[in-house]
Amino acid sequence: MMIKIARIDGDGIGKEVTEAGVAVLESIDLNFDFIEAEAGRECFEKNGTTIPEETIKIAKNAKATLFGAITSTPGQKSPIITLRQELDTYANLRPIKSFKGINCLFDDLDFLIVRENTEGLYSGNESIEEIKSEDNSIIDKKAIAHRVITKKASERISKLAFEEAIKLNKESVTCAHKANVLKKTDGVFKESFYKVAKDYPNIKTNDYYVDATAMYLLTKPQEFDVIVTSNLFGDILSDASAGLVGGLGLAPSGNIGDEHGIFEPVHGSAPDIAGNNISNPIAMLLSVSMMLEYLNEDYWADKVRTACENVLEKGKVKTPDLGGNDKTMDVANEVIKEIKNLC
Ligand code: NAI
Ligand code: MG
């Protein structure tokens, strides 16, 4: 049976790491039909839009979407945000895990950040007003960001966080918010969290303000099992957490909804290194593993993840961000070899 995958490379290192991801998928004993679709800066220069309707259609018709990374286009909404909203992938799952063989701040971390993906400040719901004086000259500019938090979205993201905790055999779920200042919006978020928590009496719960969470991530990150938070906070906390365990080159993510899944590394298009084929593909390959799990191909998900872990632990082939001299596809080919060893 052919598994239809929407393949959106994007631009910058998005192209390099997607090539690596596709090479790994093509090496395993499953049949994929990759449908290529455009998005990002280059797409905007060519088509006048950062995400054509056709791309959204292809993603909606696929079993899952593999997304590389894009470069932002000034004045345009981010195409990945559009895609997440169009496909209603309301949860962004960002696992944070220490790897053997990686020189990082903490070598014993294993937690999951569950980020609400459809609303909050990150949805880019903004407007701008010019304030004029009596003679009609502009005396000020007022920019407004609308932070919409609904009970429905907060409850469904909390429920998913608890379900993930059960699946991963985790003891606790922590809600990160700022309800002392954002009393209304994060009031709803926190209240929804504790309402859903009642359905999961066997899972411990607590909540921290997001600023304190940031500090605890540095001082006692081992305490965390699952963190559930709103869109922008999740974006920030997950990049910071990636820094605890070896950087963006190792951080995967999955955007999950009831009907669709989009899998992408946490990192962006890295213009500082793009074009040299030295980007680390591991974040993408771990995202590929998450995609395989989503497709109920647990056997292969495990093989891809274990192969990545083994290649990191052996440390023979690695890209410059990890102190090596190898190229993106060298690492991908090493992972492919390791998958064959494991089978
Ligand atoms: P970035 O994630 O692209 O890069 C941050 C730093 O990490 C850079 O020094 C980069 O070289 C390094 N890095 C990232 N991924 C790496 C990898 N796989 N291997 C080795 N080193 C890696 O973030 P930045 O520089 O803030 O943004 C660059 C562009 O990407 C911007 O236009 C931004 O808007 C966009 N972006 C896109 C995202 C997406 O497509 N989902 C997510 C984040 C940013
Ligand atoms: Mg980010």
Side-chain angles (χ1 to χ4, degrees):
M1 198 191 64
M2 281 292 219
I3 307 170
K4 208 192 267 185
I5 302 293
R7 168 183 174 171
I8 306 174
D9 294 36
D11 44 52
I13 67 165
K15 292 185 178 181
E16 303 169 10
V17 298
T18 309
E19 189 194 333
V22 168
V24 166
L25 286 168
E26 282 182 336
S27 80
I28 64 179
D29 208 2
L30 291 172
N31 288 318
F32 294 100
D33 180 13
F34 294 101
I35 320 279
E36 291 192 42
E38 293 174 298
R41 175 74 76 91
E42 278 176 22
C43 170
F44 180 78
E45 280 154 14
K46 206 170 115 202
N47 308 309
T49 167
T50 61
I51 181 152
E53 276 301 321
E54 181 66 11
T55 296
I56 294 166
K57 212 168 103 192
I58 289 172
K60 281 186 176 166
N61 284 327
K63 279 258 187 286
T65 296
L66 195 61
F67 187 94
I70 53 87
T71 307
S72 299
T73 307
Q76 299 293 314
K77 184 170 168 183
S78 164
I80 184 66
I81 296 178
T82 303
L83 197 63
R84 288 170 185 159
Q85 289 170 344
E86 285 281 341
L87 271 60
D88 199 25
T89 53
Y90 59 85
N92 191 290
L93 305 182
R94 297 187 159 189
I96 303 295
K97 201 167 180 292
S98 310
F99 294 103
K100 293 203 182 94
I102 298 298
N103 192 5
C104 54
L105 291 168
F106 294 91
D107 56 13
D108 55 352
L109 300 187
D110 184 4
F111 62 90
L112 175 71
I113 297 184
V114 178
R115 164 188 175 192
E116 204 292 322
N117 226 3
T118 60
E119 52 182 39
L121 266 184
Y122 202 92
S123 57
N125 187 355
E126 294 189 308
S127 57
I128 197 151
E129 272 171 35
E130 283 174 345
I131 315 258
K132 293 182 177 167
S133 66
E134 274 169 20
D135 67 355
N136 225 18
S137 59
I138 298 165
I139 52 169
D140 202 0
K141 236 185 200 180
K142 185 158 119 187
I144 303 165
H146 299 269
R147 186 175 199 261
V148 176
I149 302 271
T150 64
K151 187 166 157 259
K152 182 174 165 226
S154 304
E155 285 184 6
R156 72 176 175 176
I157 197 70
S158 293
K159 185 169 186 309
L160 193 132
F162 282 101
E163 291 295 333
E164 285 294 319
I166 292 171
K167 209 162 92 188
L168 298 169
N169 254 323
K170 296 288 188 190
E171 273 181 23
S172 71
V173 181
T174 302
C175 172
H177 60 83
K178 193 69 184 169
N180 53 337
V181 175
L182 302 165
K183 291 186 200 296
K184 298 272 187 326
T185 48
D186 267 353
V188 167
F189 194 79
K190 184 179 159 186
E191 211 176 271
S192 305
F193 170 74
Y194 279 113
K195 180 172 174 240
V196 171
K198 286 193 189 132
D199 297 333
Y200 299 89
N202 296 327
I203 304 219
K204 288 185 199 149
T205 52
N206 68 343
D207 67 279
Y208 291 134
Y209 296 130
V210 66
D211 43 353
T213 309
M215 186 191 68
Y216 295 144
L217 280 172
L218 296 172
T219 56
K220 50 170 188 176
Q222 298 84 355
E223 181 189 289
F224 294 110
D225 282 336
V226 175
I227 299 175
V228 61
T229 190
S230 55
N231 208 337
L232 179 63
F233 295 163
D235 184 45
I236 299 167
L237 294 179
S238 59
D239 268 33
S241 303
L244 299 174
V245 292
L248 286 171
L250 303 176
S253 84
N255 303 279
I256 315 271
D258 292 334
E259 282 168 42
H260 299 285
I262 309 166
F263 298 84
E264 48 160 347
V266 168
H267 64 72
S269 62
D272 53 340
I273 59 165
N276 301 317
N277 296 308
I278 54 162
S279 54
N280 190 345
I282 296 289
M284 172 54 104
L285 302 184
L286 293 168
S287 308
V288 160
S289 168
M290 290 176 78
M291 183 175 88
L292 288 166
E293 199 188 319
Y294 171 81
L295 294 167
N296 292 320
E297 297 292 348
D298 289 8
Y299 174 85
W300 290 110
D302 177 63
K303 292 285 175 276
V304 172
R305 188 180 47 248
T306 308
C308 288
E309 287 170 358
N310 291 354
V311 167
L312 291 174
E313 186 172 358
K314 288 178 191 164
K316 277 195 304 213
V317 181
K318 52 189 176 190
T319 45
D321 57 310
L322 299 179
N325 283 310
D326 296 300
K327 302 269 185 192
T328 309
M329 282 308 294
D330 296 335
V331 176
N333 287 327
E334 196 63 18
V335 170
I336 291 170
K337 248 200 276 172
E338 188 61 31
I339 294 171
K340 298 223 153 59
N341 284 342
L342 289 168
C343 291

